[in-house]
């Protein structure tokens, strides 16, 4: 018994119709069974096996077996090379979390026969960004973020897949940089307010309004007169009222009352800014300062 090699078209395209034929010289006539390599169960029977619409899953190695009551024999193998366009590409990104300044590797893969060629595009750019199955972006920056597409193509068709790249650590880096600036601003404002408060506490309190404006000491005398108080309980007045004694009272009693009238000059202070030298000159000057003056009147 002899079996010829099954015949098939030289170029098989997915979706087309394909017919396999097996023949053998045998007496009595042989029966035929079709097998696909690595599959134990028969794939079909008869000297002709037909694929009405062959697919990529039908790609593989086939053979037929011829047998009669005198024996059996297998044919030589036939490889069915089904060609098809690229399937939807899948893209892997390494590392999965992109940090600014790092190196990013993009890999595109697609099931295609014949093998696909790959081209990389960036959103809103007409010309390709790169070509090849692997695309590497060194020193990834914010401007590299955006939508990318990987296109796989062969002589049977093309397919593309779109994905988005972004810098995962961008917001985190901005926050980390902003926090120290925020606290520095708080420290500066607090220090400025503390200085203002400190200066305000050092200013001397304003003197109460007594109805008489205190004149600043001149550059020559350096004196400061606060107020003059008169009292009738002190002795030796400088000024006294002169009048006739009321009738019925002796003149001696009137003179005794007048002797009790006194005048006092009080609360005469030196300017704190006056120097010791000025104080000495004021002491020698007969018109100098006196803290309290008591003058006894001799009547």
């Amino acid at each position: 018994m002899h079996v010829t090699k099954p015949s098939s078209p030289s170029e098989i395209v997915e979706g087309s119709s394909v017919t396999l034929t097996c023949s053998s010289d045998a007496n009595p006539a042989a029966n035929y069974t079709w097998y696909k390599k690595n599959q134990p169960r028969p794939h079909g029977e008869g000297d002709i096996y037909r694929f009405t619409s062959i697919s990529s899953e039908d790609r593989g190695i086939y053979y037929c077996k011829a047998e009669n009551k005198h024996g059996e024999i297998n044919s030589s193998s036939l490889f069915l090379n089904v060609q098809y366009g690229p399937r939807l590409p899948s893209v892997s990104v390494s590392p999965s979390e992109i940090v600014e300044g790092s190196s990013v590797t993009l890999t595109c893969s697609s099931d295609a026969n014949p093998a696909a060629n790959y081209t990389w595009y960036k959103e809103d750019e007409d010309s390709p960004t790169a070509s090849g199955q692997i695309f590497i972006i060194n020193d990834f920056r914010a401007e590299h973020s955006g939508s990318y597409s990987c296109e796989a193509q062969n002589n049977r068709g093309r397919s593309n897949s779109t994905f988005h790249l972004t810098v995962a650590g961008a917001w985190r880096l901005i926050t980390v940089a902003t926090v120290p600036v925020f606290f520095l601003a708080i420290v500066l404002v607090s220090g400025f307010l503390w200085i203002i408060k400190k200066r305000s506490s050092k200013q001397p309190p304003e003197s109460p309004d007594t109805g008489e404006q205190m004149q600043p000491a001149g550059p020559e005398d350096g004196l400061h007169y606060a107020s003059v108080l008169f009292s009738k309980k002190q002795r030796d007045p400088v000024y006294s009222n002169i009048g006739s004694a009321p009738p019925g009272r002796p003149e001696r009693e009137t003179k005794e009352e007048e002797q009790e009238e006194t005048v006092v000059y009080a609360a005469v202070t030196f300017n704190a800014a006056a120097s010791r030298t000025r104080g000495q000159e004021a002491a020698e000057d007969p018109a100098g300062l006196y803290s309290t003056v008591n003058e006894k009147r001799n009547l």
Side-chain angles (χ1 to χ4, degrees):
M1 182 183 297
H2 175 73
V3 179
T4 60
K5 183 178 180 180
S7 62
S8 67
S10 58
E11 188 174 275
I12 303 172
V13 180
E14 186 177 36
S16 62
S17 177
V18 177
T19 300
L20 302 179
T21 303
C22 185
S23 63
S24 172
D25 181 17
N27 189 22
N31 297 316
Y32 300 96
T33 307
W34 294 91
Y35 292 88
K36 187 177 183 181
K37 192 174 183 179
N38 299 325
Q39 290 185 2
R41 299 182 62 180
H43 206 67
E45 295 180 352
D47 58 342
I48 297 174
Y49 184 68
R50 183 176 287 109
F51 296 90
T52 56
S53 179
I54 198 167
S55 66
S56 58
E57 288 79 11
D58 297 325
R59 184 171 180 259
I61 299 174
Y62 291 81
Y63 63 93
C64 69
K65 182 174 72 171
E67 60 181 335
N68 62 14
K69 62 180 181 178
H70 297 290
E72 61 183 43
I73 189 173
N74 293 335
S75 70
S76 57
S77 298
L78 173 68
F79 176 63
L80 293 183
N81 185 22
V82 182
Q83 296 183 358
Y84 51 92
R87 302 293 190 255
L88 184 67
S90 62
V91 179
S92 61
V93 181
S94 179
S96 57
E97 182 174 317
I98 301 174
V99 179
E100 189 170 5
S102 63
S103 177
V104 179
T105 301
L106 308 176
T107 304
C108 186
S109 59
S110 173
D111 180 21
N113 186 31
N117 298 316
Y118 299 93
T119 307
W120 300 87
Y121 295 91
K122 191 175 187 297
E123 183 183 22
D124 301 329
E125 293 184 5
D126 297 331
S127 58
T129 303
S131 61
Q133 189 172 7
I134 297 175
F135 174 33
I136 299 176
I137 303 176
N138 294 310
D139 192 17
F140 196 96
R141 296 295 177 184
E143 56 267 23
H144 293 136
S145 298
S147 295
Y148 289 79
S149 64
C150 168
E151 183 181 81
Q153 69 274 350
N154 63 9
N155 58 354
R156 297 302 174 190
R158 63 182 59 204
S159 181
N160 64 75
S161 180
T162 303
F163 58 98
H164 190 78
L165 287 182
T166 185
V167 180
W171 173 250
R172 185 164 45 235
L173 291 175
I174 292 173
T175 304
V176 171
T178 303
V179 169
V181 174
F182 176 74
F183 281 106
L184 179 60
I186 292 179
V187 171
L188 292 177
V189 172
S190 301
F192 180 73
L193 295 176
W194 181 82
I195 292 173
I196 292 177
K197 184 177 180 181
K198 199 73 175 177
R199 289 182 178 179
S200 300
S201 63
K202 289 183 179 181
Q203 293 181 358
E206 296 181 0
S207 58
D209 187 7
T210 57
E212 296 183 0
Q213 300 266 340
M214 298 172 59
Q215 298 296 332
E220 295 181 358
D221 52 11
L223 301 180
H224 182 85
Y225 296 90
S227 59
V228 178
L229 303 177
F230 294 89
S231 174
K232 291 185 179 182
K233 296 182 180 182
Q234 301 292 335
R235 296 180 179 180
D236 305 326
V238 176
Y239 302 97
S240 63
N241 296 327
I242 301 176
S244 58
R249 296 181 62 183
E251 184 179 1
R252 187 174 182 177
E253 293 180 2
T254 303
K255 291 181 178 181
E256 292 178 354
E257 291 178 358
E258 293 177 354
Q259 290 177 357
E260 294 179 356
E261 294 179 354
T262 62
V263 63
V264 68
Y265 296 86
V268 180
T269 62
F270 290 96
N271 191 337
S275 63
R276 294 182 179 180
T277 304
R278 289 187 178 182
Q280 292 175 359
E281 292 177 357
E284 294 176 359
D285 191 349
L289 299 177
Y290 299 90
S291 61
T292 305
V293 179
N294 292 326
E295 183 180 341
K296 183 177 182 182
R297 167 180 279 183
N298 293 323
L299 297 176

